[in-house]
Amino acid sequence: MRGSTSRTPAELDELARALFDPLARLLRAELRADRERVGRLRDGRA
């Protein structure tokens, strides 16, 4: 393993929470762009 920087479960949870919103935003934007490319702005969910 690269460097011996072990993290506590609380630190990993904090990191995951900090990364979730920005990653979710990027994924939603990518999905929206894909739907626009194929001419479908709505994803069909009710």
Side-chain angles (χ1 to χ4, degrees), residues 2-28:
R2 206 179 133 159
S4 158
T5 57
S6 60
R7 306 249 187 243
T8 66
E11 289 173 324
L12 291 174
D13 190 53
E14 183 181 337
L15 180 60
R17 288 176 191 276
L19 291 174
F20 182 82
D21 284 336
L23 289 174
R25 248 190 318 275
L26 289 171
L27 287 172
R28 280 193 299 270

Side-chain angles (χ1 to χ4, degrees), residues 22-43:
L23 289 174
R25 248 190 318 275
L26 289 171
L27 287 172
R28 280 193 299 270
E30 185 64 29
L31 288 171
R32 188 178 310 116
D34 286 344
R35 287 194 303 264
E36 289 173 355
R37 267 194 289 277
V38 297
R40 246 181 99 195
L41 292 178
R42 296 209 16 102
D43 62 3

